[in-house]
């Protein structure tokens, strides 16, 4: 797809629902009792992968104009899938669902596309194995396909109302995660619901997004958080919820960057989730000198949300590293684009996790910025970007990574030079209407 710059952006926009929250709403709704209603659900390829996985395990999921309805069957109500579960491109689906599957009395195979097949799963296999789960990487490389079998101690218990229930009790653990990853934390907490012997605790080196903790407690789980530690009590009774998903700050980030970088722009982005464990980009914009105001803050069912007013600004370089990284990990590609237009040298550190996202985002961002004539150098755990030089026409290889495709769309508009973006349709992973929404502004 060929993208070139047009004039300033004006008007208002609502970005689609938050991807992380949409995944969780389907998962937790499926293992709760009763019908969960989800408004503002993100209908993107990744979230549809989660829906399809739960449909394959016997959960009825329907949709009308306004909402998705999940007819949950309780903690022990899933049934074995006839086919391997297909997680598509979605790391969130794979890692979170594995925590639920580890506690099931049936075996499951999880697979996905070529990108997902290269992403590390040892980070969830290790803690699940400590909990007594039998989880293997079929290719022996710590990646999918994953085979999850019931542990040896499967037992039949009788529940008063529902007759016999098969259970596959796990062991509670206190896990110190080597990475700050909400996917790892959530996987362990979900498995902790199926533990037989007490609370399961996860401690991270820095605090990752806390949507699981917030939403699971809304469903009735006993979750406690203290600094970088979260714990859960086993065997909760989860009750169906009505969930309104706020707009995704990771999708809003592209419009924030576009409005800042294209002179004469002024836009209002409505209904954006600003959970502090996700909103690091707002701090970065402020530190770079961007004109961004948070207006009209409100609560969207346990998640803070707001409207964001953004005006074009001259940006200056900054240093980004440390505890803020997990709060803006998915926004670093578009922050790198902002850095390419900022005066001075931006340094991003402590972000080695970027190497194991949908692509190696350190390599792919710096390589594509270089193609445009920007002095962008990869480092072990981040990148160094010397901003402010004029950029030129180029062909961008997205490696089919949605965040790379959207970031370089903004780069093309800001640089006012055409970019050929290869595989641009991969935006469907998180934002199917991205190009149309941008056109409207
Ligand atoms: C996600 C957590 C992040 C993020 C991903 C979604 C989630 O991954 O990059 O896009 O929904 O929990 P990690 O927590 O593994 O860094």
């Amino acid at each position: 797809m060929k993208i070139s710059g047009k004039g300033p952006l004006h008007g208002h926009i609502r970005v689609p629902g938050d991807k992380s929250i949409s995944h969780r709403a389907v998962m937790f709704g499926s293992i709760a009792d009763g019908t969960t209603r989800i408004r503002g659900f993100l209908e993107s390829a990744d979230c549809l992968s989660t829906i399809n996985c739960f449909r394959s395990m016997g959960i009825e999921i329907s949709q009308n104009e306004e909402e998705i309805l999940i007819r949950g069957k309780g903690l022990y109500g899933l049934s074995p899938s006839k086919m391997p579960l297909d997680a598509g491109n979605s790391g969130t689906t794979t890692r979170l669902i594995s925590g639920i599957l580890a506690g099931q009395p049936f075996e499951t195979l999880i697979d996905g596309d070529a990108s997902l097949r290269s992403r590390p799963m040892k980070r969830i296999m290790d803690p699940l194995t400590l909990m007594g789960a039998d989880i293997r990487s079929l290719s022996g490389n710590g990646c999918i396909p994953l085979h999850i079998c019931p542990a040896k101690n499967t037992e039949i218990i009788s529940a008063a109302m529902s007759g016999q229930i098969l259970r596959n009790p796990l062991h509670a653990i206190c896990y110190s995660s080597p990475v700050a990853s909400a996917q790892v934390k959530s996987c362990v907490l979900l498995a902790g619901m199926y533990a037989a012997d007490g609370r399961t605790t996860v401690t991270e080196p820095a605090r990752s997004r806390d949507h699981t903790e917030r939403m699971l407690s809304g469903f009735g789980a006993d979750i406690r958080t203290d600094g970088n530690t979260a714990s859960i009590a086993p065997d909760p009774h989860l009750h169906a919820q009505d969930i309104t998903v706020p707009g995704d700050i990771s999708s809003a980030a592209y419009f924030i960057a576009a409005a800042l970088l294209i002179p004469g722009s002024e836009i209002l982005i409505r209904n954006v989730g600003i959970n502090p464990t996700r909103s690091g980009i707002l701090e970065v914009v402020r530190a770079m000198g961007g004109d961004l105001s948070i207006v009209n803050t409100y609560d969207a069912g346990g998640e803070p949300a707001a409207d964001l007013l953004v005006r074009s600004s001259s940006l200056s370089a900054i240093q980004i590293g440390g505890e803020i990284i997990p709060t803006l990990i998915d926004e670093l590609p578009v922050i790198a684009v902002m850095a390419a237009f900022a005066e001075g040298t931006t340094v991003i550190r402590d972000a080695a996790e970027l190497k194991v996202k949908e692509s190696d985002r350190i390599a792919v961002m710096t390589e594509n910025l270089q193609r445009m004539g920007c002095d962008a150098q990869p480092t072990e755990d981040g990148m160094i970007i010397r901003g402010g030089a004029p950029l030129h026409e180029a062909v961008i290889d997205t490696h089919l990574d949605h965040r790379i495709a959207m970031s370089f769309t903004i780069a093309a508009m800001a640089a006012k030079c055409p970019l050929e973006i290869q595989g641009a349709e991969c935006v469907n992973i998180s934002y199917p209407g991205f190009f149309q929404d941008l056109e409207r502004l």
Side-chain angles (χ1 to χ4, degrees):
M1 183 182 284
K2 197 119 183 165
I3 310 279
S4 46
K6 287 193 183 153
L9 301 187
H10 282 292
H12 53 85
I13 181 177
R14 277 178 91 94
V15 288
D18 187 276
K19 183 153 83 72
S20 294
I21 297 176
S22 295
H23 279 297
R24 286 161 173 78
V26 172
M27 293 188 185
F28 306 166
S30 296
I31 53 171
D33 280 310
T35 299
T36 286
R37 295 167 186 276
I38 314 172
R39 291 210 173 82
F41 180 78
L42 171 64
E43 287 183 46
S44 76
D46 263 12
C47 298
L48 295 177
S49 294
T50 293
I51 286 193
N52 287 335
C53 287
F54 281 92
R55 279 193 175 136
S56 308
M57 292 191 287
I59 301 298
E60 198 190 307
I61 301 178
S62 58
Q63 187 176 6
N64 61 37
E65 295 226 320
E66 279 158 21
E67 52 192 17
I68 305 271
L69 302 177
I70 318 268
R71 310 223 184 263
K73 291 190 169 175
L75 217 50
Y76 301 101
L78 299 175
S79 40
S81 168
K82 294 192 181 72
M83 304 286 286
L85 297 183
D86 181 2
N89 190 251
S90 174
T92 310
T93 307
T94 314
R95 297 197 179 109
L96 269 61
I97 221 173
S98 296
I100 295 173
L101 292 172
Q104 302 303 320
F106 53 81
E107 63 181 300
T108 315
L109 200 61
I110 316 175
D111 205 354
D113 71 11
S115 151
L116 193 59
R117 277 185 170 209
S118 69
R119 297 183 63 189
M121 294 300 156
K122 194 169 170 306
R123 54 178 60 196
I124 54 148
M125 292 168 64
D126 286 348
L128 290 178
T129 305
L130 287 174
M131 296 180 84
D134 180 353
I135 174 165
R136 283 167 216 197
S137 155
L138 285 191
S139 28
N141 60 354
C143 299
I144 59 166
L146 293 182
H147 188 206
I148 304 181
C149 285
K152 303 273 178 311
N153 50 347
T154 299
E155 62 183 24
I156 297 174
I157 58 152
S158 295
M161 301 293 285
S162 40
Q164 276 192 339
I165 296 179
L166 260 182
R167 290 216 314 198
N168 170 32
L170 300 170
H171 304 299
I173 55 169
C174 285
Y175 189 62
S176 189
S177 175
V179 279
S181 161
Q183 297 183 351
V184 172
K185 173 177 63 179
S186 303
C187 170
V188 177
L189 291 174
L190 287 167
M193 297 195 296
Y194 296 92
D197 48 4
R199 296 187 80 86
T200 290
T201 303
V202 189
T203 302
E204 308 183 89
R207 189 157 192 211
S208 65
R209 63 191 67 187
D210 65 357
H211 305 302
T212 294
E213 296 90 307
R214 287 175 189 250
M215 195 189 290
L216 257 190
S217 25
F219 271 91
D222 171 3
I223 294 208
R224 293 179 207 153
T225 53
D226 181 10
N228 298 348
T229 298
S231 73
I232 191 164
D235 212 14
H237 189 194
L238 303 181
H239 307 278
Q241 297 294 300
D242 282 357
I243 294 167
T244 302
V245 181
D248 197 325
I249 192 165
S250 301
S251 299
Y254 305 104
F255 296 98
I256 294 174
L260 291 172
L261 295 176
I262 301 170
S265 299
E266 174 171 335
I267 62 169
L268 183 69
I269 314 173
R270 292 221 158 102
N271 178 41
V272 182
I274 55 161
N275 178 323
T277 61
R278 286 289 296 286
S279 61
I281 181 152
L282 303 182
E283 273 175 59
V284 163
V285 166
R286 261 182 238 119
M288 293 180 93
D291 182 350
L292 183 152
S293 330
I294 298 177
V295 287
N296 187 26
T297 312
Y298 57 96
D299 178 85
E303 289 278 348
D307 299 339
L308 306 178
L309 180 65
V310 194
R311 298 192 186 96
S312 55
S313 313
S314 309
L315 301 182
S316 26
I318 50 160
Q319 313 265 322
I320 310 173
E323 297 234 325
I324 198 173
I325 292 292
T327 73
L328 45 65
I329 189 75
D330 292 340
E331 290 65 76
L332 284 171
V334 78
I335 289 173
V337 167
M338 285 160 49
F341 292 90
E343 242 0 276
T345 302
T346 291
V347 181
I348 299 172
R349 308 195 171 84
D350 305 316
E353 275 295 295
L354 287 178
K355 294 184 193 167
V356 292
K357 295 297 179 186
E358 286 82 330
S359 68
D360 175 347
R361 289 181 177 160
I362 293 181
V364 174
M365 279 309 300
T366 50
E367 184 198 305
N368 282 310
L369 283 172
Q370 286 166 10
R371 288 183 186 197
M372 294 182 74
C374 172
D375 180 357
Q377 300 306 325
T379 63
E380 262 312 297
D381 65 349
M383 45 197 133
I384 300 173
I385 298 165
R386 292 185 176 78
L391 302 180
H392 54 70
E393 204 169 320
V395 177
I396 301 300
D397 183 353
T398 60
H399 292 246
L400 298 182
D401 180 336
H402 55 131
R403 304 219 180 271
I404 303 294
M406 291 188 275
S407 297
F408 279 94
T409 300
I410 304 310
M413 294 175 66
K416 296 212 163 21
C417 64
L419 289 182
E420 170 74 37
I421 301 189
Q422 294 174 332
E425 67 285 350
C426 65
V427 302
N428 290 337
I429 292 295
S430 64
Y431 197 159
F434 175 68
F435 293 110
Q436 292 85 331
D437 282 355
L438 205 50
E439 286 267 317
R440 272 199 302 109
L441 288 175

